[in-house]
């Protein structure tokens, strides 16, 4: 186990993990790990390679060969900029199916552990506090009502020019959360020692402040 300080942020889709994690990381001068991006990249790579979504071995092989490049906020996969492509709803849906495959999770584990570098790391995802960084001194489980989360994702998608339907989005989000919660391997759930943060009626700034306050007393 390394002794690099790590803050984990887990929670359901569009609960604000990435936004809060990035701001907390910036404030503390820590690195930031968007573990969901790795699962999304593996999924996009599998879709591009034409691997059958039911072929666990094929999906695992793709994840094992993955070597994404993170450069100035852009993500390159075999030379191609996939920053936006991995955020589509199609990829979101497919990702939660790929993420149930134990081999895929195993393949991405080391990649995630290696993100813990000095002076510290803020990691967001589904199993950061339970599986990948169980030694983290501060674990946060972020939630918000399904409707509020769907509205946030709707605004996010339409702001970048994608068409979206709020009812469909709500249904998709709930289905994805259910799949993430019910899978056998590394299901979405708060770590036993996680702090719960419900942002249904809380702005980004307040949520960031709460995490930073907890961090000052966590070690
Ligand atoms: N507390 C909050 N209040 C209002 N909007 C939020 C809040 N947290 C996040 N958002 C917005 O909701 C959207 C989804 O947040 P994001 O960080 O991408 O969620 P996640 O990483 O959990 O999927 C973003 O557009 C973000 O700006
Ligand atoms: N640590 C993680 C992170 C993401 N995932 C999977 O990847 C999907 C996309 O994760 P994400 O964090 O990018 O999704 P959003 O919360 O941004 O919608 C999730 O629905 C999970 O199925 C996972 O299984 N474990």
């Amino acid at each position: 186990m390394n002794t690099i300080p790590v803050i984990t942020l887990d929670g359901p889709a569009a609960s604000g993990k990435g936004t809060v994690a990035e701001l907390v990381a910036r404030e503390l001068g820590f690195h930031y790990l968007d573990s969901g991006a790795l699962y999304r990249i593996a999924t996009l790579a599998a879709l591009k390679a034409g691997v059958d979504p039911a072929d666990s071995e094929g999906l695992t092989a793709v994840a094992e060969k993955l070597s994404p490049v993170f450069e100035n906020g852009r993500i390159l996969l075999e030379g191609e900029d996939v920053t936006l492509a991995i955020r589509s709803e199609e990829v979101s849906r497919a990702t939660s199916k790929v993420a149930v495959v134990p081999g895929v999770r195993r393949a991405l584990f080391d990649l995630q552990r290696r993100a813990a570098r000095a002076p510290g790391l803020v990691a967001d995802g589904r199993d950061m506090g339970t599986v990948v960084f169980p030694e983290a001194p501060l674990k946060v489980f972020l939630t918000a009502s399904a409707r509020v989360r769907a509205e946030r994702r709707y605004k996010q998608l339409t702001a970048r020019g994608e068409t979206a339907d709020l009812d469909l989005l709500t249904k998709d989000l709930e289905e994805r959360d259910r799949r993430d919660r019910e899978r056998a391997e590394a299901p979405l759930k708060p770590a036993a020692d996680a702090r719960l943060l419900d942002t249904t009626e809380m702005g980004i700034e307040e949520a960031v402040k709460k995490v930073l306050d907890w961090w000052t007393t966590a070690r």
Side-chain angles (χ1 to χ4, degrees):
M1 287 285 156
N2 59 45
T3 52
I4 304 289
V6 177
I7 299 175
T8 63
L9 276 150
D10 290 304
S15 53
K17 304 177 297 293
T19 307
V20 174
E22 263 198 278
L23 290 167
V24 168
R26 194 178 303 165
E27 186 66 27
L28 297 173
F30 282 10
H31 299 282
Y32 164 54
L33 169 67
D34 175 0
S35 65
L38 296 179
Y39 285 91
R40 288 171 179 274
I41 295 164
T43 302
L44 186 67
L47 290 172
K48 280 182 184 291
V51 176
D52 187 319
D55 174 8
S56 299
E57 283 178 21
L59 295 173
T60 301
V62 168
E64 283 170 347
K65 282 201 293 275
L66 215 59
S67 53
V69 175
F70 297 86
E71 213 173 66
N72 305 324
R74 312 301 296 172
I75 302 172
L76 303 176
L77 182 61
E78 279 154 22
E80 189 189 339
D81 188 334
V82 296
T83 318
L84 277 183
I86 61 163
R87 304 287 165 195
S88 72
E89 268 307 292
E90 186 202 352
V91 172
S92 300
R93 248 191 320 272
T95 301
S96 69
K97 296 178 184 162
V98 170
V100 305
V101 178
V104 170
R105 306 201 71 86
R106 225 172 11 252
L108 299 182
F109 182 84
D110 287 344
L111 221 54
Q112 297 171 74
R113 287 288 308 180
R114 282 203 298 274
R117 288 176 286 122
L121 178 73
V122 185
D124 94 72
R126 302 292 185 288
D127 61 344
M128 297 297 95
T130 50
V131 174
V132 181
F133 299 108
E135 77 283 16
L138 176 59
K139 298 170 188 167
V140 179
F141 195 83
L142 215 58
T143 56
S145 74
R147 192 66 187 182
V148 162
R149 290 188 287 114
E151 281 166 2
R152 289 178 186 169
R153 185 53 40 93
Y154 177 85
K155 277 192 204 147
Q156 211 177 17
L157 290 170
T158 51
R160 37 169 210 260
E162 280 197 43
T163 48
D165 175 305
L166 187 58
D167 289 329
L168 267 181
L169 210 52
T170 309
K171 200 170 138 276
D172 268 6
L173 224 82
E174 283 174 329
E175 201 174 300
R176 189 145 67 89
D177 290 344
R178 185 187 48 73
R179 205 176 292 122
D180 286 344
R181 271 196 312 267
E182 293 181 358
R183 69 179 172 226
E185 185 108 357
L188 166 68
K189 64 170 182 193
D193 53 349
R195 303 212 186 218
L196 304 185
L197 187 54
D198 185 332
T199 68
T200 304
E201 294 179 33
M202 188 185 282
I204 294 170
E205 220 172 291
E206 200 184 333
V208 169
K209 186 176 178 309
K210 192 83 206 162
V211 175
L212 288 170
D213 282 351
W214 280 335
W215 181 240
T216 58
T217 55
R219 294 150 303 154

